[in-house]
mmCIF file with all atom_site columns, all heavy atoms in Angstrom:
data_model
loop_
_atom_site.group_PDB
_atom_site.id
_atom_site.type_symbol
_atom_site.label_atom_id
_atom_site.label_alt_id
_atom_site.label_comp_id
_atom_site.label_asym_id
_atom_site.label_entity_id
_atom_site.label_seq_id
_atom_site.pdbx_PDB_ins_code
_atom_site.Cartn_x
_atom_site.Cartn_y
_atom_site.Cartn_z
_atom_site.occupancy
_atom_site.B_iso_or_equiv
_atom_site.pdbx_formal_charge
_atom_site.auth_seq_id
_atom_site.auth_comp_id
_atom_site.auth_asym_id
_atom_site.auth_atom_id
_atom_site.pdbx_PDB_model_num
ATOM 1   N N   . ARG A 1 1  ? 0.055   27.213 -25.640 1.00 0.00 ? 1  ARG A N   1
ATOM 2   C CA  . ARG A 1 1  ? 0.513   28.290 -26.526 1.00 0.00 ? 1  ARG A CA  1
ATOM 3   C C   . ARG A 1 1  ? -0.498  28.544 -27.646 1.00 0.00 ? 1  ARG A C   1
ATOM 4   O O   . ARG A 1 1  ? -0.737  29.683 -28.023 1.00 0.00 ? 1  ARG A O   1
ATOM 5   C CB  . ARG A 1 1  ? 1.882   27.950 -27.120 1.00 0.00 ? 1  ARG A CB  1
ATOM 6   C CG  . ARG A 1 1  ? 3.025   28.126 -26.145 1.00 0.00 ? 1  ARG A CG  1
ATOM 7   C CD  . ARG A 1 1  ? 4.372   28.071 -26.835 1.00 0.00 ? 1  ARG A CD  1
ATOM 8   N NE  . ARG A 1 1  ? 4.604   26.855 -27.581 1.00 0.00 ? 1  ARG A NE  1
ATOM 9   C CZ  . ARG A 1 1  ? 5.274   25.794 -27.127 1.00 0.00 ? 1  ARG A CZ  1
ATOM 10  N NH1 . ARG A 1 1  ? 5.798   25.818 -25.929 1.00 0.00 ? 1  ARG A NH1 1
ATOM 11  N NH2 . ARG A 1 1  ? 5.441   24.739 -27.886 1.00 0.00 ? 1  ARG A NH2 1
ATOM 12  N N   . THR A 1 2  ? -1.103  27.485 -28.155 1.00 0.00 ? 2  THR A N   1
ATOM 13  C CA  . THR A 1 2  ? -2.102  27.631 -29.217 1.00 0.00 ? 2  THR A CA  1
ATOM 14  C C   . THR A 1 2  ? -3.314  28.396 -28.701 1.00 0.00 ? 2  THR A C   1
ATOM 15  O O   . THR A 1 2  ? -3.797  29.327 -29.365 1.00 0.00 ? 2  THR A O   1
ATOM 16  C CB  . THR A 1 2  ? -2.529  26.249 -29.758 1.00 0.00 ? 2  THR A CB  1
ATOM 17  O OG1 . THR A 1 2  ? -1.369  25.588 -30.257 1.00 0.00 ? 2  THR A OG1 1
ATOM 18  C CG2 . THR A 1 2  ? -3.568  26.373 -30.849 1.00 0.00 ? 2  THR A CG2 1
ATOM 19  N N   . ARG A 1 3  ? -3.804  28.023 -27.523 1.00 0.00 ? 3  ARG A N   1
ATOM 20  C CA  . ARG A 1 3  ? -4.963  28.723 -26.940 1.00 0.00 ? 3  ARG A CA  1
ATOM 21  C C   . ARG A 1 3  ? -4.638  30.199 -26.694 1.00 0.00 ? 3  ARG A C   1
ATOM 22  O O   . ARG A 1 3  ? -5.448  31.082 -26.978 1.00 0.00 ? 3  ARG A O   1
ATOM 23  C CB  . ARG A 1 3  ? -5.401  28.052 -25.639 1.00 0.00 ? 3  ARG A CB  1
ATOM 24  C CG  . ARG A 1 3  ? -6.163  26.750 -25.838 1.00 0.00 ? 3  ARG A CG  1
ATOM 25  C CD  . ARG A 1 3  ? -6.791  26.252 -24.551 1.00 0.00 ? 3  ARG A CD  1
ATOM 26  N NE  . ARG A 1 3  ? -5.825  25.988 -23.501 1.00 0.00 ? 3  ARG A NE  1
ATOM 27  C CZ  . ARG A 1 3  ? -5.185  24.829 -23.330 1.00 0.00 ? 3  ARG A CZ  1
ATOM 28  N NH1 . ARG A 1 3  ? -5.424  23.820 -24.145 1.00 0.00 ? 3  ARG A NH1 1
ATOM 29  N NH2 . ARG A 1 3  ? -4.328  24.671 -22.341 1.00 0.00 ? 3  ARG A NH2 1
ATOM 30  N N   . ALA A 1 4  ? -3.442  30.482 -26.176 1.00 0.00 ? 4  ALA A N   1
ATOM 31  C CA  . ALA A 1 4  ? -3.042  31.868 -25.908 1.00 0.00 ? 4  ALA A CA  1
ATOM 32  C C   . ALA A 1 4  ? -2.942  32.663 -27.217 1.00 0.00 ? 4  ALA A C   1
ATOM 33  O O   . ALA A 1 4  ? -3.376  33.818 -27.287 1.00 0.00 ? 4  ALA A O   1
ATOM 34  C CB  . ALA A 1 4  ? -1.706  31.896 -25.168 1.00 0.00 ? 4  ALA A CB  1
ATOM 35  N N   . GLY A 1 5  ? -2.395  32.050 -28.252 1.00 0.00 ? 5  GLY A N   1
ATOM 36  C CA  . GLY A 1 5  ? -2.283  32.722 -29.545 1.00 0.00 ? 5  GLY A CA  1
ATOM 37  C C   . GLY A 1 5  ? -3.638  33.025 -30.154 1.00 0.00 ? 5  GLY A C   1
ATOM 38  O O   . GLY A 1 5  ? -3.860  34.111 -30.697 1.00 0.00 ? 5  GLY A O   1
ATOM 39  N N   . LEU A 1 6  ? -4.571  32.078 -30.064 1.00 0.00 ? 6  LEU A N   1
ATOM 40  C CA  . LEU A 1 6  ? -5.924  32.301 -30.584 1.00 0.00 ? 6  LEU A CA  1
ATOM 41  C C   . LEU A 1 6  ? -6.635  33.405 -29.806 1.00 0.00 ? 6  LEU A C   1
ATOM 42  O O   . LEU A 1 6  ? -7.319  34.250 -30.394 1.00 0.00 ? 6  LEU A O   1
ATOM 43  C CB  . LEU A 1 6  ? -6.736  31.005 -30.536 1.00 0.00 ? 6  LEU A CB  1
ATOM 44  C CG  . LEU A 1 6  ? -6.318  29.922 -31.522 1.00 0.00 ? 6  LEU A CG  1
ATOM 45  C CD1 . LEU A 1 6  ? -7.052  28.617 -31.231 1.00 0.00 ? 6  LEU A CD1 1
ATOM 46  C CD2 . LEU A 1 6  ? -6.561  30.370 -32.950 1.00 0.00 ? 6  LEU A CD2 1
ATOM 47  N N   . ALA A 1 7  ? -6.468  33.424 -28.488 1.00 0.00 ? 7  ALA A N   1
ATOM 48  C CA  . ALA A 1 7  ? -7.095  34.461 -27.661 1.00 0.00 ? 7  ALA A CA  1
ATOM 49  C C   . ALA A 1 7  ? -6.523  35.834 -28.015 1.00 0.00 ? 7  ALA A C   1
ATOM 50  O O   . ALA A 1 7  ? -7.266  36.818 -28.107 1.00 0.00 ? 7  ALA A O   1
ATOM 51  C CB  . ALA A 1 7  ? -6.892  34.159 -26.177 1.00 0.00 ? 7  ALA A CB  1
ATOM 52  N N   . ALA A 1 8  ? -5.213  35.913 -28.214 1.00 0.00 ? 8  ALA A N   1
ATOM 53  C CA  . ALA A 1 8  ? -4.585  37.195 -28.584 1.00 0.00 ? 8  ALA A CA  1
ATOM 54  C C   . ALA A 1 8  ? -5.084  37.665 -29.947 1.00 0.00 ? 8  ALA A C   1
ATOM 55  O O   . ALA A 1 8  ? -5.346  38.859 -30.139 1.00 0.00 ? 8  ALA A O   1
ATOM 56  C CB  . ALA A 1 8  ? -3.064  37.045 -28.589 1.00 0.00 ? 8  ALA A CB  1
ATOM 57  N N   . ALA A 1 9  ? -5.245  36.766 -30.884 1.00 0.00 ? 9  ALA A N   1
ATOM 58  C CA  . ALA A 1 9  ? -5.742  37.125 -32.212 1.00 0.00 ? 9  ALA A CA  1
ATOM 59  C C   . ALA A 1 9  ? -7.187  37.599 -32.132 1.00 0.00 ? 9  ALA A C   1
ATOM 60  O O   . ALA A 1 9  ? -7.558  38.603 -32.761 1.00 0.00 ? 9  ALA A O   1
ATOM 61  C CB  . ALA A 1 9  ? -5.622  35.937 -33.167 1.00 0.00 ? 9  ALA A CB  1
ATOM 62  N N   . ARG A 1 10 ? -8.012  36.920 -31.342 1.00 0.00 ? 10 ARG A N   1
ATOM 63  C CA  . ARG A 1 10 ? -9.418  37.340 -31.177 1.00 0.00 ? 10 ARG A CA  1
ATOM 64  C C   . ARG A 1 10 ? -9.499  38.714 -30.528 1.00 0.00 ? 10 ARG A C   1
ATOM 65  O O   . ARG A 1 10 ? -10.342 39.539 -30.887 1.00 0.00 ? 10 ARG A O   1
ATOM 66  C CB  . ARG A 1 10 ? -10.194 36.314 -30.348 1.00 0.00 ? 10 ARG A CB  1
ATOM 67  C CG  . ARG A 1 10 ? -10.715 35.143 -31.161 1.00 0.00 ? 10 ARG A CG  1
ATOM 68  C CD  . ARG A 1 10 ? -11.710 34.309 -30.377 1.00 0.00 ? 10 ARG A CD  1
ATOM 69  N NE  . ARG A 1 10 ? -11.140 33.655 -29.221 1.00 0.00 ? 10 ARG A NE  1
ATOM 70  C CZ  . ARG A 1 10 ? -10.485 32.500 -29.244 1.00 0.00 ? 10 ARG A CZ  1
ATOM 71  N NH1 . ARG A 1 10 ? -10.313 31.860 -30.388 1.00 0.00 ? 10 ARG A NH1 1
ATOM 72  N NH2 . ARG A 1 10 ? -9.994  31.977 -28.146 1.00 0.00 ? 10 ARG A NH2 1
ATOM 73  N N   . ALA A 1 11 ? -8.612  38.978 -29.558 1.00 0.00 ? 11 ALA A N   1
ATOM 74  C CA  . ALA A 1 11 ? -8.596  40.279 -28.885 1.00 0.00 ? 11 ALA A CA  1
ATOM 75  C C   . ALA A 1 11 ? -8.260  41.401 -29.869 1.00 0.00 ? 11 ALA A C   1
ATOM 76  O O   . ALA A 1 11 ? -8.654  42.547 -29.660 1.00 0.00 ? 11 ALA A O   1
ATOM 77  C CB  . ALA A 1 11 ? -7.583  40.268 -27.744 1.00 0.00 ? 11 ALA A CB  1
ATOM 78  N N   . ARG A 1 12 ? -7.568  41.090 -30.937 1.00 0.00 ? 12 ARG A N   1
ATOM 79  C CA  . ARG A 1 12 ? -7.220  42.079 -31.961 1.00 0.00 ? 12 ARG A CA  1
ATOM 80  C C   . ARG A 1 12 ? -8.249  42.091 -33.096 1.00 0.00 ? 12 ARG A C   1
ATOM 81  O O   . ARG A 1 12 ? -8.024  42.702 -34.134 1.00 0.00 ? 12 ARG A O   1
ATOM 82  C CB  . ARG A 1 12 ? -5.828  41.778 -32.513 1.00 0.00 ? 12 ARG A CB  1
ATOM 83  C CG  . ARG A 1 12 ? -4.729  42.097 -31.530 1.00 0.00 ? 12 ARG A CG  1
ATOM 84  C CD  . ARG A 1 12 ? -3.366  41.676 -32.061 1.00 0.00 ? 12 ARG A CD  1
ATOM 85  N NE  . ARG A 1 12 ? -2.290  42.041 -31.162 1.00 0.00 ? 12 ARG A NE  1
ATOM 86  C CZ  . ARG A 1 12 ? -2.007  41.455 -30.021 1.00 0.00 ? 12 ARG A CZ  1
ATOM 87  N NH1 . ARG A 1 12 ? -2.741  40.446 -29.603 1.00 0.00 ? 12 ARG A NH1 1
ATOM 88  N NH2 . ARG A 1 12 ? -0.998  41.851 -29.271 1.00 0.00 ? 12 ARG A NH2 1
ATOM 89  N N   . GLY A 1 13 ? -9.343  41.364 -32.904 1.00 0.00 ? 13 GLY A N   1
ATOM 90  C CA  . GLY A 1 13 ? -10.418 41.384 -33.885 1.00 0.00 ? 13 GLY A CA  1
ATOM 91  C C   . GLY A 1 13 ? -10.288 40.378 -35.014 1.00 0.00 ? 13 GLY A C   1
ATOM 92  O O   . GLY A 1 13 ? -11.087 40.373 -35.934 1.00 0.00 ? 13 GLY A O   1
ATOM 93  N N   . ARG A 1 14 ? -9.293  39.530 -34.962 1.00 0.00 ? 14 ARG A N   1
ATOM 94  C CA  . ARG A 1 14 ? -9.144  38.530 -36.026 1.00 0.00 ? 14 ARG A CA  1
ATOM 95  C C   . ARG A 1 14 ? -9.909  37.277 -35.657 1.00 0.00 ? 14 ARG A C   1
ATOM 96  O O   . ARG A 1 14 ? -9.934  36.857 -34.502 1.00 0.00 ? 14 ARG A O   1
ATOM 97  C CB  . ARG A 1 14 ? -7.667  38.201 -36.243 1.00 0.00 ? 14 ARG A CB  1
ATOM 98  C CG  . ARG A 1 14 ? -6.928  39.346 -36.907 1.00 0.00 ? 14 ARG A CG  1
ATOM 99  C CD  . ARG A 1 14 ? -5.534  38.949 -37.246 1.00 0.00 ? 14 ARG A CD  1
ATOM 100 N NE  . ARG A 1 14 ? -4.793  38.851 -35.981 1.00 0.00 ? 14 ARG A NE  1
ATOM 101 C CZ  . ARG A 1 14 ? -3.508  38.612 -35.890 1.00 0.00 ? 14 ARG A CZ  1
ATOM 102 N NH1 . ARG A 1 14 ? -2.803  38.398 -36.968 1.00 0.00 ? 14 ARG A NH1 1
ATOM 103 N NH2 . ARG A 1 14 ? -2.911  38.555 -34.730 1.00 0.00 ? 14 ARG A NH2 1
ATOM 104 N N   . LYS A 1 15 ? -10.514 36.697 -36.653 1.00 0.00 ? 15 LYS A N   1
ATOM 105 C CA  . LYS A 1 15 ? -11.238 35.446 -36.455 1.00 0.00 ? 15 LYS A CA  1
ATOM 106 C C   . LYS A 1 15 ? -10.506 34.356 -37.201 1.00 0.00 ? 15 LYS A C   1
ATOM 107 O O   . LYS A 1 15 ? -9.957  34.586 -38.274 1.00 0.00 ? 15 LYS A O   1
ATOM 108 C CB  . LYS A 1 15 ? -12.665 35.554 -36.994 1.00 0.00 ? 15 LYS A CB  1
ATOM 109 C CG  . LYS A 1 15 ? -13.498 36.565 -36.256 1.00 0.00 ? 15 LYS A CG  1
ATOM 110 C CD  . LYS A 1 15 ? -14.883 36.639 -36.844 1.00 0.00 ? 15 LYS A CD  1
ATOM 111 C CE  . LYS A 1 15 ? -15.682 37.726 -36.164 1.00 0.00 ? 15 LYS A CE  1
ATOM 112 N NZ  . LYS A 1 15 ? -16.965 37.927 -36.802 1.00 0.00 ? 15 LYS A NZ  1
ATOM 113 N N   . GLY A 1 16 ? -10.540 33.174 -36.652 1.00 0.00 ? 16 GLY A N   1
ATOM 114 C CA  . GLY A 1 16 ? -9.903  32.045 -37.324 1.00 0.00 ? 16 GLY A CA  1
ATOM 115 C C   . GLY A 1 16 ? -10.843 31.407 -38.320 1.00 0.00 ? 16 GLY A C   1
ATOM 116 O O   . GLY A 1 16 ? -11.979 31.835 -38.502 1.00 0.00 ? 16 GLY A O   1
ATOM 117 N N   . GLY A 1 17 ? -10.353 30.416 -38.979 1.00 0.00 ? 17 GLY A N   1
ATOM 118 C CA  . GLY A 1 17 ? -11.181 29.672 -39.907 1.00 0.00 ? 17 GLY A CA  1
ATOM 119 C C   . GLY A 1 17 ? -11.007 30.115 -41.346 1.00 0.00 ? 17 GLY A C   1
ATOM 120 O O   . GLY A 1 17 ? -10.316 31.081 -41.651 1.00 0.00 ? 17 GLY A O   1
ATOM 121 N N   . ARG A 1 18 ? -11.673 29.395 -42.192 1.00 0.00 ? 18 ARG A N   1
ATOM 122 C CA  . ARG A 1 18 ? -11.604 29.663 -43.620 1.00 0.00 ? 18 ARG A CA  1
ATOM 123 C C   . ARG A 1 18 ? -12.394 30.924 -43.955 1.00 0.00 ? 18 ARG A C   1
ATOM 124 O O   . ARG A 1 18 ? -13.512 31.117 -43.458 1.00 0.00 ? 18 ARG A O   1
ATOM 125 C CB  . ARG A 1 18 ? -12.200 28.458 -44.350 1.00 0.00 ? 18 ARG A CB  1
ATOM 126 C CG  . ARG A 1 18 ? -12.173 28.558 -45.828 1.00 0.00 ? 18 ARG A CG  1
ATOM 127 C CD  . ARG A 1 18 ? -12.717 27.282 -46.425 1.00 0.00 ? 18 ARG A CD  1
ATOM 128 N NE  . ARG A 1 18 ? -12.878 27.435 -47.855 1.00 0.00 ? 18 ARG A NE  1
ATOM 129 C CZ  . ARG A 1 18 ? -13.371 26.530 -48.632 1.00 0.00 ? 18 ARG A CZ  1
ATOM 130 N NH1 . ARG A 1 18 ? -13.764 25.376 -48.124 1.00 0.00 ? 18 ARG A NH1 1
ATOM 131 N NH2 . ARG A 1 18 ? -13.477 26.729 -49.908 1.00 0.00 ? 18 ARG A NH2 1
ATOM 132 N N   . PRO A 1 19 ? -11.845 31.793 -44.812 1.00 0.00 ? 19 PRO A N   1
ATOM 133 C CA  . PRO A 1 19 ? -12.582 33.010 -45.183 1.00 0.00 ? 19 PRO A CA  1
ATOM 134 C C   . PRO A 1 19 ? -13.851 32.660 -45.977 1.00 0.00 ? 19 PRO A C   1
ATOM 135 O O   . PRO A 1 19 ? -13.876 31.704 -46.736 1.00 0.00 ? 19 PRO A O   1
ATOM 136 C CB  . PRO A 1 19 ? -11.602 33.776 -46.081 1.00 0.00 ? 19 PRO A CB  1
ATOM 137 C CG  . PRO A 1 19 ? -10.304 33.075 -45.985 1.00 0.00 ? 19 PRO A CG  1
ATOM 138 C CD  . PRO A 1 19 ? -10.548 31.723 -45.411 1.00 0.00 ? 19 PRO A CD  1
ATOM 139 N N   . ARG A 1 20 ? -14.873 33.464 -45.793 1.00 0.00 ? 20 ARG A N   1
ATOM 140 C CA  . ARG A 1 20 ? -16.137 33.245 -46.515 1.00 0.00 ? 20 ARG A CA  1
ATOM 141 C C   . ARG A 1 20 ? -15.968 33.543 -47.999 1.00 0.00 ? 20 ARG A C   1
ATOM 142 O O   . ARG A 1 20 ? -15.248 34.462 -48.371 1.00 0.00 ? 20 ARG A O   1
ATOM 143 C CB  . ARG A 1 20 ? -17.225 34.130 -45.944 1.00 0.00 ? 20 ARG A CB  1
ATOM 144 C CG  . ARG A 1 20 ? -17.627 33.735 -44.546 1.00 0.00 ? 20 ARG A CG  1
ATOM 145 C CD  . ARG A 1 20 ? -18.905 34.478 -44.178 1.00 0.00 ? 20 ARG A CD  1
ATOM 146 N NE  . ARG A 1 20 ? -19.454 33.962 -42.955 1.00 0.00 ? 20 ARG A NE  1
ATOM 147 C CZ  . ARG A 1 20 ? -20.318 32.951 -42.894 1.00 0.00 ? 20 ARG A CZ  1
ATOM 148 N NH1 . ARG A 1 20 ? -20.713 32.364 -43.988 1.00 0.00 ? 20 ARG A NH1 1
ATOM 149 N NH2 . ARG A 1 20 ? -20.777 32.544 -41.734 1.00 0.00 ? 20 ARG A NH2 1
ATOM 150 N N   . LYS A 1 21 ? -16.667 32.778 -48.831 1.00 0.00 ? 21 LYS A N   1
ATOM 151 C CA  . LYS A 1 21 ? -16.630 33.010 -50.280 1.00 0.00 ? 21 LYS A CA  1
ATOM 152 C C   . LYS A 1 21 ? -17.491 34.206 -50.659 1.00 0.00 ? 21 LYS A C   1
ATOM 153 O O   . LYS A 1 21 ? -17.249 34.834 -51.681 1.00 0.00 ? 21 LYS A O   1
ATOM 154 C CB  . LYS A 1 21 ? -17.121 31.764 -51.018 1.00 0.00 ? 21 LYS A CB  1
ATOM 155 C CG  . LYS A 1 21 ? -16.058 30.709 -51.171 1.00 0.00 ? 21 LYS A CG  1
ATOM 156 C CD  . LYS A 1 21 ? -16.431 29.835 -52.319 1.00 0.00 ? 21 LYS A CD  1
ATOM 157 C CE  . LYS A 1 21 ? -15.179 29.607 -53.115 1.00 0.00 ? 21 LYS A CE  1
ATOM 158 N NZ  . LYS A 1 21 ? -15.367 28.943 -54.343 1.00 0.00 ? 21 LYS A NZ  1
ATOM 159 N N   . MET A 1 22 ? -18.516 34.474 -49.871 1.00 0.00 ? 22 MET A N   1
ATOM 160 C CA  . MET A 1 22 ? -19.399 35.603 -50.174 1.00 0.00 ? 22 MET A CA  1
ATOM 161 C C   . MET A 1 22 ? -19.946 36.170 -48.870 1.00 0.00 ? 22 MET A C   1
ATOM 162 O O   . MET A 1 22 ? -19.977 35.491 -47.859 1.00 0.00 ? 22 MET A O   1
ATOM 163 C CB  . MET A 1 22 ? -20.541 35.168 -51.096 1.00 0.00 ? 22 MET A CB  1
ATOM 164 C CG  . MET A 1 22 ? -21.443 34.109 -50.522 1.00 0.00 ? 22 MET A CG  1
ATOM 165 S SD  . MET A 1 22 ? -22.881 33.679 -51.525 1.00 0.00 ? 22 MET A SD  1
ATOM 166 C CE  . MET A 1 22 ? -22.272 33.690 -53.146 1.00 0.00 ? 22 MET A CE  1
ATOM 167 N N   . ASP A 1 23 ? -20.390 37.417 -48.941 1.00 0.00 ? 23 ASP A N   1
ATOM 168 C CA  . ASP A 1 23 ? -20.949 38.024 -47.733 1.00 0.00 ? 23 ASP A CA  1
ATOM 169 C C   . ASP A 1 23 ? -22.366 37.495 -47.500 1.00 0.00 ? 23 ASP A C   1
ATOM 170 O O   . ASP A 1 23 ? -22.978 36.878 -48.375 1.00 0.00 ? 23 ASP A O   1
ATOM 171 C CB  . ASP A 1 23 ? -20.904 39.549 -47.814 1.00 0.00 ? 23 ASP A CB  1
ATOM 172 C CG  . ASP A 1 23 ? -21.711 40.103 -48.986 1.00 0.00 ? 23 ASP A CG  1
ATOM 173 O OD1 . ASP A 1 23 ? -22.719 39.486 -49.368 1.00 0.00 ? 23 ASP A OD1 1
ATOM 174 O OD2 . ASP A 1 23 ? -21.303 41.159 -49.511 1.00 0.00 ? 23 ASP A OD2 1
ATOM 175 N N   . ARG A 1 24 ? -22.908 37.801 -46.326 1.00 0.00 ? 24 ARG A N   1
ATOM 176 C CA  . ARG A 1 24 ? -24.226 37.266 -45.942 1.00 0.00 ? 24 ARG A CA  1
ATOM 177 C C   . ARG A 1 24 ? -25.357 37.771 -46.859 1.00 0.00 ? 24 ARG A C   1
ATOM 178 O O   . ARG A 1 24 ? -26.270 37.022 -47.182 1.00 0.00 ? 24 ARG A O   1
ATOM 179 C CB  . ARG A 1 24 ? -24.527 37.609 -44.491 1.00 0.00 ? 24 ARG A CB  1
ATOM 180 C CG  . ARG A 1 24 ? -23.647 36.856 -43.526 1.00 0.00 ? 24 ARG A CG  1
ATOM 181 C CD  . ARG A 1 24 ? -24.401 36.597 -42.225 1.00 0.00 ? 24 ARG A CD  1
ATOM 182 N NE  . ARG A 1 24 ? -23.538 35.944 -41.264 1.00 0.00 ? 24 ARG A NE  1
ATOM 183 C CZ  . ARG A 1 24 ? -23.410 34.629 -41.159 1.00 0.00 ? 24 ARG A CZ  1
ATOM 184 N NH1 . ARG A 1 24 ? -24.068 33.845 -41.970 1.00 0.00 ? 24 ARG A NH1 1
ATOM 185 N NH2 . ARG A 1 24 ? -22.612 34.103 -40.257 1.00 0.00 ? 24 ARG A NH2 1
ATOM 186 N N   . ALA A 1 25 ? -25.269 39.016 -47.278 1.00 0.00 ? 25 ALA A N   1
ATOM 187 C CA  . ALA A 1 25 ? -26.327 39.580 -48.134 1.00 0.00 ? 25 ALA A CA  1
ATOM 188 C C   . ALA A 1 25 ? -26.390 38.851 -49.471 1.00 0.00 ? 25 ALA A C   1
ATOM 189 O O   . ALA A 1 25 ? -27.479 38.518 -49.967 1.00 0.00 ? 25 ALA A O   1
ATOM 190 C CB  . ALA A 1 25 ? -26.081 41.077 -48.350 1.00 0.00 ? 25 ALA A CB  1
ATOM 191 N N   . THR A 1 26 ? -25.239 38.580 -50.059 1.00 0.00 ? 26 THR A N   1
ATOM 192 C CA  . THR A 1 26 ? -25.199 37.871 -51.336 1.00 0.00 ? 26 THR A CA  1
ATOM 193 C C   . THR A 1 26 ? -25.688 36.436 -51.164 1.00 0.00 ? 26 THR A C   1
ATOM 194 O O   . THR A 1 26 ? -26.424 35.914 -52.007 1.00 0.00 ? 26 THR A O   1
ATOM 195 C CB  . THR A 1 26 ? -23.770 37.895 -51.921 1.00 0.00 ? 26 THR A CB  1
ATOM 196 O OG1 . THR A 1 26 ? -23.290 39.236 -51.934 1.00 0.00 ? 26 THR A OG1 1
ATOM 197 C CG2 . THR A 1 26 ? -23.736 37.334 -53.325 1.00 0.00 ? 26 THR A CG2 1
ATOM 198 N N   . LEU A 1 27 ? -25.308 35.818 -50.053 1.00 0.00 ? 27 LEU A N   1
ATOM 199 C CA  . LEU A 1 27 ? -25.757 34.453 -49.786 1.00 0.00 ? 27 LEU A CA  1
ATOM 200 C C   . LEU A 1 27 ? -27.280 34.422 -49.626 1.00 0.00 ? 27 LEU A C   1
ATOM 201 O O   . LEU A 1 27 ? -27.946 33.536 -50.165 1.00 0.00 ? 27 LEU A O   1
ATOM 202 C CB  . LEU A 1 27 ? -25.074 33.892 -48.537 1.00 0.00 ? 27 LEU A CB  1
ATOM 203 C CG  . LEU A 1 27 ? -25.474 32.471 -48.138 1.00 0.00 ? 27 LEU A CG  1
ATOM 204 C CD1 . LEU A 1 27 ? -25.189 31.482 -49.263 1.00 0.00 ? 27 LEU A CD1 1
ATOM 205 C CD2 . LEU A 1 27 ? -24.744 32.048 -46.874 1.00 0.00 ? 27 LEU A CD2 1
ATOM 206 N N   . ARG A 1 28 ? -27.851 35.413 -48.931 1.00 0.00 ? 28 ARG A N   1
ATOM 207 C CA  . ARG A 1 28 ? -29.315 35.473 -48.769 1.00 0.00 ? 28 ARG A CA  1
ATOM 208 C C   . ARG A 1 28 ? -30.005 35.651 -50.128 1.00 0.00 ? 28 ARG A C   1
ATOM 209 O O   . ARG A 1 28 ? -31.058 35.065 -50.383 1.00 0.00 ? 28 ARG A O   1
ATOM 210 C CB  . ARG A 1 28 ? -29.688 36.594 -47.813 1.00 0.00 ? 28 ARG A CB  1
ATOM 211 C CG  . ARG A 1 28 ? -29.531 36.196 -46.372 1.00 0.00 ? 28 ARG A CG  1
ATOM 212 C CD  . ARG A 1 28 ? -30.223 37.192 -45.435 1.00 0.00 ? 28 ARG A CD  1
ATOM 213 N NE  . ARG A 1 28 ? -29.437 37.227 -44.223 1.00 0.00 ? 28 ARG A NE  1
ATOM 214 C CZ  . ARG A 1 28 ? -28.634 38.214 -43.852 1.00 0.00 ? 28 ARG A CZ  1
ATOM 215 N NH1 . ARG A 1 28 ? -28.523 39.295 -44.584 1.00 0.00 ? 28 ARG A NH1 1
ATOM 216 N NH2 . ARG A 1 28 ? -27.947 38.139 -42.731 1.00 0.00 ? 28 ARG A NH2 1
ATOM 217 N N   . ALA A 1 29 ? -29.392 36.441 -50.989 1.00 0.00 ? 29 ALA A N   1
ATOM 218 C CA  . ALA A 1 29 ? -29.963 36.643 -52.331 1.00 0.00 ? 29 ALA A CA  1
ATOM 219 C C   . ALA A 1 29 ? -29.966 35.330 -53.113 1.00 0.00 ? 29 ALA A C   1
ATOM 220 O O   . ALA A 1 29 ? -30.955 34.988 -53.782 1.00 0.00 ? 29 ALA A O   1
ATOM 221 C CB  . ALA A 1 29 ? -29.175 37.713 -53.082 1.00 0.00 ? 29 ALA A CB  1
ATOM 222 N N   . ALA A 1 30 ? -28.897 34.585 -53.002 1.00 0.00 ? 30 ALA A N   1
ATOM 223 C CA  . ALA A 1 30 ? -28.821 33.294 -53.697 1.00 0.00 ? 30 ALA A CA  1
ATOM 224 C C   . ALA A 1 30 ? -29.833 32.318 -53.125 1.00 0.00 ? 30 ALA A C   1
ATOM 225 O O   . ALA A 1 30 ? -30.499 31.576 -53.875 1.00 0.00 ? 30 ALA A O   1
ATOM 226 C CB  . ALA A 1 30 ? -27.403 32.735 -53.574 1.00 0.00 ? 30 ALA A CB  1
#
């Protein structure tokens, strides 16, 4: 059920995991 739920979320464009504190451009600047 966990694998199926993660696959369904990915199919809707959602990614798991902790949200990023900053975007990649800001991180590159730092």
Side-chain angles (χ1 to χ4, degrees):
R1 284 192 303 263
T2 301
R3 284 190 300 272
L6 290 171
R10 276 192 295 277
R12 288 175 177 74
R14 288 186 289 185
K15 296 179 184 174
R18 181 177 172 183
R20 292 192 170 271
K21 278 202 136 188
M22 61 175 39
D23 61 31
R24 291 211 183 270
T26 309
L27 179 58
R28 279 194 213 106

